[in-house]
């Protein structure tokens, strides 16, 4: 089978030429587990971060242990598990950039593809969707009348968060994204009330037009500067979800925020780590899948075809040049 | 009557010689209000902050409009109000450094002195106590088994917060304070399990002895450095109350905190402004007064006698040299 590995240790964010496509022996089916043919690999910003800052960045991974991590969806080709049989579709956070993965029972969930396409489990019904749902419904508890702001709004977490907020009753949903194409996507496809283009001069002043009384919920995916902007436009008692620090993943300076505005606005700030919600996959999918089926929640994919395209798509992702959820179809 | 006023605009934290004791005409009783003989003036850090950074710091107040703000408790000497009659005791946040104040109905609450001394309403049953109660019970919702950390623990907010946390079921209550005398007060009088003396080398390492699994609630009264220390010792899902930034009140640099640990620990951080809770004076006093009466909550006073002593006590307060609640008895 084929697998993508790093050629060398990275000291900065990954580029396409840092990777090699190699031949590897396929794994065997584990006792009490399954062998899965990977159909879609999800590329996510945290993986770009891990490749050069996390444990993988510290030593050059050898091919034998150089599995680049990632969520996958695929089809069971062999089963020694009671949980799934051959032909079933599964989702796993413990996949990687590879054609075939061996998974134990605790490493996958069986997914329903009757009413939604399989690739949805790489995005809106996968980890990015769970992240969005957890922040909006479990931590911020968005409800009728909320004024919701989210950055990285063209991405799968931000885009899904805004759409879930709308389903939860938010009266105004505003995104922040970079560039005309992303902002058009957020407004026209995701149906936000507005998307502020941070590459345009004067974009900050636009928020007041769409949220004249300030925002009640902010969902942070980017970092300190965006957060400071959001804090300065909060209504009292606003809720803030700290989810991602994408702007700082490739930056040696740690992100900081002003304490004064949190006190002044009596904000509640909640840190979100998605794996806390891995015991709620089913509740999340039960809530969100019907919205996907009915078209009330849409997500755009930035899709590449073939495992060998994963490196180029990762380079696009870590530079913010993707539009929509990055998925590699095998 | 006598009143204390500022001699001049302040560009740094107040010293005793910045004030003058002057003679002023006494106010008259307002329609629908009361005239109150001040018995105790509460000196609080936020007033020190206002004197040189807030609105009062911007222009030299003239004697006629130079009332230095402060909470007071006193006795009604004349009433044109249905809410209180002559001889009743009242508490007001709209008093000041003066012998007699005129208050309208919305500016005071009538207080019960049958079971607690009047001066308690300057501290544990006044604004510092409400601040402590609101953070511990309304925002952090301290409950059985919590491991509670609070800084400025010898002060009226920190000292009361820890004692209320204990009454709410906290299994471990730890303070941070500066100096042996304050730490002894926190441990021996307030009954905390431990008080870390931040003036001692190695004090940070002591926390692990008393809270080996980390803390579940942190109540912040001081500023960024203490907060960073607390964040680094939090259990996952810890709650953090951001109440005061005393260390920054006289510092031109705004306080900032690291975002990463908030996400990493999945903390919930709540900004607290006490005046949000002014509609809950009665609920607060109903809850806390019995603990004061029964001796389960104690607070130490740093008391001066006579209005003319207020400036020296304020100087002591803004330099952290007070031990206990600063009260001027008239």
């Amino acid at each position: 089978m084929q697998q993508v590995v790093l050629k060398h240790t990275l000291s900065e964010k990954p580029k396409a030429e840092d990777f090699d496509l190699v031949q590897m022996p396929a794994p065997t089916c584990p006792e009490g587990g399954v062998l899965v043919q990977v159909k879609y690999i999800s590329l996510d910003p945290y993986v770009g971060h891990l490749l050069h800052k996390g444990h993988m960045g510290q030593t050059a991974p050898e091919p034998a242990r150089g599995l680049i991590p990632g969520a996958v969806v695929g089809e069971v080709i062999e089963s020694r598990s009671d949980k799934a049989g051959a032909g079933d579709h599964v989702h796993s956070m413990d996949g990687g950039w590879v054609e075939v993965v061996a998974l134990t029972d605790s490493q996958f969930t069986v997914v329903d593809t009757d009413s939604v396409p399989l690739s949805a489990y790489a995005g809106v019904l996968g980890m990015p969707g769970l992240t969005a749902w957890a922040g909006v419904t479990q931590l911020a508890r968005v409800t009728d009348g909320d004024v919701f702001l989210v950055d990285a709004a063209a991405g799968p977490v931000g885009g899904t968060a805004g759409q879930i907020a709308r389903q939860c009753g938010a009266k105004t949903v505003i995104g922040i994204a970079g560039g005309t194409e992303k902002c058009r996507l957020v407004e026209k496809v995701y149906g936000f009330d507005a998307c502020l283009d941070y590459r345009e001069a004067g974009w900050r002043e636009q928020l007041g037009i769409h949220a004249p009384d300030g925002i009640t919920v902010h969902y942070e995916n980017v970092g300190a500067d965006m957060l400071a902007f959001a804090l300065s436009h909060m209504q009292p008692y606003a809720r803030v979800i700290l989810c991602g620090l994408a702007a700082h993943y490739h930056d040696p300076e740690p992100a900081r925020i002003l304490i004064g505005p949190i006190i002044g606005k009596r904000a509640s700030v909640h840190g979100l780590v998605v794996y806390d919600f891995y015991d709620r996959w089913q509740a999340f999918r039960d809530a969100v899948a019907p919205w996907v089926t009915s078209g009330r929640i849409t997500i755009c994919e930035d899709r590449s075809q073939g495992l060998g395209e994963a490196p180029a798509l990762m380079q696009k992702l870590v530079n913010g040049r993707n539009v929509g959820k990055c998925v590699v179809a095998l």
Side-chain angles (χ1 to χ4, degrees), chain A residues 8-80:
Chain A
H8 45 245
T9 303
L10 302 184
S11 58
E12 50 187 24
K13 56 187 173 183
K15 297 181 298 296
E17 58 265 34
D18 294 325
F19 300 87
D20 257 343
L21 184 66
V22 297
Q23 283 293 131
M24 296 282 290
T28 54
C29 185
E31 178 65 41
V34 294
L35 210 56
V36 173
Q37 183 80 44
V38 174
K39 300 288 189 182
Y40 299 100
I41 300 168
S42 171
L43 300 197
D44 298 289
Y46 81 92
V47 175
H49 177 53
L50 281 179
L51 289 178
H52 75 94
K53 271 200 166 172
H55 52 97
M56 290 192 68
Q58 307 313 311
T59 56
E62 294 173 25
R65 53 188 176 81
L67 182 66
I68 294 170
V72 296
V73 287
E75 185 179 330
V76 174
I77 50 176
E78 188 184 342
S79 174
R80 300 175 69 188

Side-chain angles (χ1 to χ4, degrees), chain A residues 90-107:
Chain A
V90 299
H91 168 267
S92 175
M93 292 306 302
D94 295 315
W97 295 17
V98 65
E99 288 182 306
V100 179
V101 287
L103 300 169
T104 58
D105 273 8
S106 63
Q107 293 181 301

Side-chain angles (χ1 to χ4, degrees), chain A residues 5-6 10 26 28 39 47-48 65 69 84 100 107 150 152 156 186 206 226 262 274 280 297 306 310 314 318:
Chain A
V5 296
L6 275 175
L10 302 184
T28 54
K39 300 288 189 182
V47 175
R65 53 188 176 81
V100 179
Q107 293 181 301
V150 60
V186 172
Q206 300 292 311
M226 286 292 177
I262 300 174
V274 66
R280 276 173 261 183
I297 292 187
M314 177 54 82
V318 297

